[in-house]
Amino acid sequence: MFTANSLSGTLTVNESDPVTLRCHIDSNPRSIIRLLNGTDELTRADNSMTAEYRLESADCRQRGNYSCTATNNIGAPVSQRVELLVKFSPRLDESVPQQLKYASRPGGNVNVSVSVLAFPLPTFTWSRTNSTSQDLTGSSSPVSDISATARLHLTNLQQQDFRDYSLTVDNRVGRSVAYTVSLKVEGPPGTPTQFKSLENVTTSSVWLSWQPGFNGGHPQSFMLEYLQFVTRTWTAYNTYDDTGKVKVVEVTGLTSGDIHLFRLHSRNALSNSSSFVIVETVTAGDPTDHQQLDATCTEDIVGSTVGTLLLASFIGGIVVMVLYRKGLIRFGHAMKGTASQKSTSRAEVTEMDNIGYSSLDAVNTPAQYTSLEEKAQDKQNYSQLKIYENTKEDAPADTSTYEGMAETPPVTYESINASPDQDSGGQPRDADYGNM
């Protein structure tokens, strides 16, 4: 006895329903029992009286004839069969190449066909929201007991015919399904999409895949190119014909551990696609010797650059020291100590914070000291800047003051004009003190 869900003969279920196949044998001695789907063995039980197999979720492609055979080497084997039917709503037949886009020239003809899977077999209805010069009656024919094809023949196409058409498919299992079929003027193919590198790379090869675009009404092919980094030029690798399905190819002869750049476009008898798609890949393994050499050269260049900067800083420091010893520049603390020791006149001292020289009334910077000032600002932190003025108008010329000195007094950064409120004595300042 052989049953499907406890029923013999024929069982009809909805897609995704569970199905239990059970076979019971009466024999002595016990038998070898096999459950088959056509010629494919599902399960086997040795020295047994029963065998069972369960479909957790019936699929449309699991419909068909199932059988149970048994033998115990006494007499002929016995067999019994059940038929399983699975109802499911319509869906596109993915084994058929792209079928929802078509192209033709004005005044030309086109045959539209759409293949679907469904059980029971469906009915087809063509329609269009805009006016058309075409007869949309169409036709259909079964391909198998679970597949059928809808057809629509369009002739002498006019401009208003190049639009979208709707195909409604219904087999009363669930809701009806509507598909949009586009009719376009023939032209260049569409750019491929989903161009990517797959994970199964080796030291000398990578795998690439892409989804074909619309062929523009003519058979198309795909041109794969790679970038030669030395010459910065794109070089053809191979050309592939369109099969209407996702394309997967292996690219070989690559360098271990290297970066590889590929680009892809399509072409038909009329033109090339309007753009490229690009993907970057890396082969497995360690880089080649020339890459390691390039990295070493890069390290040498970086080291040379750092050494040059250090040398420039060292020379800059020597220049600052020489200028300091010649008295052409003074630092804050040295300037304060020198003035206190040499000045014999009563001097009024005004202290100002040296924060970007913002407390000075005017700064007239000589061009020749600009770079020295910037270097000094980068290398020194001047907490205070003191300005010394000789407020005694009749003081005799003496080497202890800047007035009447035989040699030019030290220059301190810039010419600094003191603020009027520094001259607390109200007496006019000597002309020699206009610049410090």
Side-chain angles (χ1 to χ4, degrees):
M1 181 180 293
F2 183 41
T3 61
N5 286 358
S6 302
L7 296 176
S8 58
T10 299
L11 172 67
T12 301
V13 297
N14 292 318
E15 191 173 34
S16 300
D17 286 349
V19 176
T20 300
L21 303 172
R22 183 177 289 110
C23 186
H24 179 74
I25 301 297
D26 183 15
S27 67
N28 185 22
R30 299 188 176 196
S31 300
I32 299 174
I33 306 173
R34 300 170 66 215
L35 297 184
L36 306 173
N37 178 10
T39 58
D40 296 333
E41 183 177 280
L42 302 177
T43 189
R44 169 176 171 158
D46 294 340
N47 191 28
S48 179
M49 303 291 285
T50 61
E52 184 176 294
Y53 185 81
R54 180 177 174 83
L55 302 175
E56 296 295 341
S57 179
D59 181 82
C60 64
R61 298 185 185 275
Q62 291 177 317
R63 66 173 307 282
N65 293 319
Y66 291 79
S67 62
C68 173
T69 63
T71 180
N72 64 354
N73 293 324
I74 298 178
V78 294
S79 179
Q80 199 165 25
R81 188 184 70 175
V82 297
E83 183 181 19
L84 176 64
L85 302 178
V86 180
K87 297 191 298 182
F88 60 98
S89 59
R91 68 197 61 171
L92 285 177
D93 187 352
E94 296 179 354
S95 65
V96 178
Q98 182 174 308
Q99 51 188 327
L100 297 181
K101 290 184 179 180
Y102 292 84
S104 184
R105 55 183 176 79
N109 304 330
V110 65
N111 290 314
V112 177
S113 64
V114 179
S115 297
V116 298
L117 300 175
F119 184 81
L121 292 180
T123 59
F124 301 94
T125 304
W126 291 96
S127 63
R128 213 183 103 171
T129 56
N130 304 98
S131 63
T132 179
S133 62
Q134 303 297 322
D135 177 14
L136 300 182
T137 302
S139 63
S140 65
S141 61
V143 178
S144 69
D145 54 356
I146 62 168
S147 65
T149 299
R151 294 182 176 85
L152 183 64
H153 182 58
L154 305 177
T155 61
N156 190 23
L157 294 168
Q158 305 301 309
Q159 189 62 41
Q160 67 268 24
D161 298 328
F162 293 95
R163 296 290 187 274
D164 290 344
Y165 295 79
S166 179
L167 174 62
T168 302
V169 188
D170 186 16
N171 71 342
R172 300 185 181 278
V173 178
R175 296 181 178 180
S176 61
V177 180
Y179 298 104
T180 299
V181 179
S182 298
L183 178 59
K184 300 180 178 297
V185 178
E186 61 184 19
T191 304
T193 59
Q194 302 179 33
F195 187 38
K196 59 185 177 181
S197 173
L198 305 181
E199 294 182 355
N200 50 338
V201 300
T202 69
T203 56
S204 61
S205 68
V206 297
W207 288 84
L208 305 176
S209 71
W210 63 87
Q211 177 71 47
F214 177 51
N215 63 13
H218 295 270
Q220 67 176 335
S221 58
F222 306 100
M223 172 66 75
L224 181 64
E225 300 174 298
Y226 66 95
L227 180 65
Q228 290 186 329
F229 287 98
V230 176
T231 61
R232 295 296 188 270
T233 58
W234 290 97
T235 303
Y237 176 78
N238 203 355
T239 301
Y240 305 91
D241 293 331
D242 181 22
T243 60
K245 303 177 182 179
V246 174
K247 196 73 175 178
V248 179
V249 300
E250 182 183 16
V251 181
T252 60
L254 304 179
T255 305
S256 173
D258 206 352
I259 298 174
H260 303 275
L261 203 62
F262 297 93
R263 76 176 183 182
L264 178 74
H265 73 278
S266 56
R267 61 187 179 188
N268 62 15
L270 299 180
S271 181
N272 294 337
S273 58
S274 59
S275 59
F276 297 89
V277 285
I278 296 178
V279 69
E280 180 183 284
T281 66
V282 180
T283 47
D286 296 327
T288 55
D289 293 339
H290 76 85
Q291 289 176 293
Q292 296 173 356
L293 179 61
D294 290 344
T296 303
C297 291
T298 301
E299 293 174 359
D300 291 342
I301 292 172
V302 172
S304 299
T305 302
V306 173
T308 302
L309 292 175
L310 291 175
L311 179 61
S313 299
F314 177 71
I315 294 174
I318 294 175
V319 172
V320 172
M321 183 59 69
V322 169
L323 293 176
Y324 167 74
R325 298 191 63 178
K326 286 182 175 292
L328 296 179
I329 61 173
R330 286 292 187 270
F331 300 117
H333 63 278
M335 186 174 177
K336 177 179 178 182
T338 304
S340 299
Q341 294 172 6
K342 288 187 177 183
S343 179
T344 58
S345 303
R346 180 182 297 274
E348 181 179 347
V349 178
T350 303
E351 296 187 3
M352 291 181 288
D353 292 336
N354 182 21
I355 306 176
Y357 305 110
S358 60
S359 60
L360 303 180
D361 292 331
V363 179
N364 301 317
T365 307
Q368 64 269 27
Y369 297 130
T370 301
S371 61
L372 294 177
E373 176 191 323
E374 293 174 352
K375 189 174 295 295
Q377 289 179 359
D378 292 338
K379 296 181 177 296
Q380 300 295 332
N381 180 20
Y382 306 109
S383 59
Q384 290 182 334
L385 177 64
K386 296 180 181 292
I387 298 177
Y388 297 86
E389 287 201 20
N390 190 345
T391 57
K392 185 175 181 180
E393 182 176 356
D394 299 330
D398 189 85
T399 57
S400 62
T401 65
Y402 293 124
E403 191 176 342
M405 289 181 62
E407 60 179 74
T408 305
V411 179
T412 60
Y413 301 102
E414 301 95 5
S415 299
I416 304 174
N417 295 328
S419 176
D421 57 0
Q422 290 177 323
D423 191 1
S424 59
Q427 298 178 6
R429 294 180 297 181
D430 197 303
D432 290 341
Y433 290 99
N435 295 315
M436 291 188 61

